[in-house]
Amino acid sequence: MRVEARDVRDAVAAIDGLDVDYGRPGAWRPVLRSVDLTIAPGERVALIGESGSGKSTLASLLLGERREDRRLAAGRVTVLGHDVFALDRRSLQRLRGRRVALVPQNGGASLTPTRRIAAHFSETLRTHRPDLDRRARRARTIELLGEVGLPAPEAAPRLYPHQFSGGQQQRIALALAMSGDPDLLVLDEPTTGQDAVTRRALLSLLRALSARRGTTMLFVSHDLTAVAQLCDRIVVLYAGEIVEDGPAEIVLSDPRHPYTKALLASAPTLDGPPDPTAILDGSSGPDRAAAGCSFAPRCRHAAPACREHRPTVETVGPRHRVACALHEVIAVALPPASSGKSRATA
Ligand SMILES: Nc1ncnc2c1ncn2[C@@H]1O[C@H](COP(=O)(O)OP(=O)(O)O)[C@@H](O)[C@H]1O
Ligand SMILES: [Mg+2]
């Protein structure tokens, strides 16, 4: 499914035909393959998939992150109308923070250990909120730290990152990302390592932010409960490829790709532990040379043809696409009603 020109213009982010490799010249290894993804204003999109599937790579590309050990082998990333890999340093800097912000995985690690919390905030606030004087910046810092549920936010600006727990540092990184009031907020596993109370508070904060400001979000997560509560759309990545993309309630209740089915079945539900027969094992990276479907070696439905031909992306419902040649056959063999499991929403 190619990205239409009109969609790119209206989109907050548009990824088109993206192939990305890690490594070095002469020794590149594919990590993302043929990724097409358009995110509309105000959407809250979950990106799910096993670890190693390329979620963090995709998230960092939206910020135009350049690395020596990575190359764009094909495709384009457009964010708020800008081709982010064609921007010069200054323009990219302007786009980041104010318009697009990332809360990285292990966000605490993005804080500078030798700088007080106040210094982190005053830098971004000076750039993005020139209307604020020193006092107002301090007040805004405390307000942001309070919003993310940091205990004693008034005392926090004077402290150094190591004086907070990992979960608190993650929340400080989130407050910092919010300080520029971005149009697109990319969150890489923000609930990982948070206790249940903080997790709930973070989710309601993100929901409020989205309702109040219409902030568009890409939410990378393993946490399907959080995804169900926050996101209106789910994109499933397997070995660097999007295998399913659709409205959250549909993907959660009637997943169409066998990998999505296995991924959902391997997560705990309200009714009890995960279905042990569904647990995925083994792994395979993307292999651009492989002829067939990259999930075929692990798929219990795979037919010989699946190993020979790459599946095309098919539309299976409104705004719902799936890359599986057998999705219709599997839907008949495993109707959604037979799963009968209700997903935890608390
Ligand atoms: N700097 C790197 N050099 C080489 N390979 C990398 C690098 N960073 C990530 N990878 C590989 O890219 C794949 C995707 O990684 P990542 O985007 O972190 O996945 P996820 O966030 O889904 O766990 C993994 O196989 C990982 O080993
Ligand atoms: Mg990751």
Side-chain angles (χ1 to χ4, degrees), residues 272-292:
D275 169 2
T277 62
I279 292 174
L280 293 158
D281 55 7
S283 68
S284 55
D287 181 355
R288 232 170 257 154

Side-chain angles (χ1 to χ4, degrees), residues 200-286:
R200 262 202 300 279
L202 269 182
L203 290 171
S204 68
L205 168 75
L206 293 171
R207 266 201 307 273
L209 185 69
S210 144
R212 192 172 71 237
R213 286 224 48 245
T215 309
T216 308
M217 293 179 191
L218 181 74
F219 184 77
V220 176
S221 189
H222 277 109
D223 181 349
L224 291 172
T225 304
V227 164
Q229 288 177 21
L230 181 69
C231 298
D232 41 36
R233 175 176 169 196
I234 295 179
V235 173
V236 185
L237 205 58
Y238 178 75
E241 291 179 70
I242 294 179
V243 295
E244 184 156 6
D245 172 12
E249 73 275 19
I250 309 251
V251 174
L252 290 172
S253 63
D254 184 15
R256 301 297 292 274
H257 195 284
Y259 175 64
T260 316
K261 286 177 194 278
L263 195 63
L264 298 186
S266 68
T269 67
L270 267 187
D271 302 341
D275 169 2
T277 62
I279 292 174
L280 293 158
D281 55 7
S283 68
S284 55

Side-chain angles (χ1 to χ4, degrees), residues 120-134:
H120 290 82
F121 281 83
S122 68
E123 184 181 290
T124 49
L125 287 173
R126 258 206 304 269
T127 314
H128 301 301
R129 292 291 305 272
D131 56 309
L132 302 181
D133 64 12
R134 198 156 167 263

Side-chain angles (χ1 to χ4, degrees), residues 58-75:
L58 190 57
S60 72
L61 290 167
L62 288 171
L63 277 285
E65 189 195 88
R66 286 136 163 100
R67 299 172 55 129
E68 290 275 307
D69 61 352
R70 183 162 82 191
R71 69 166 181 182
L72 258 66

Side-chain angles (χ1 to χ4, degrees), residues 55-56 105 188-189 220:
K55 304 180 300 296
S56 294
Q105 195 166 356
D188 197 352
E189 312 228 13
V220 176

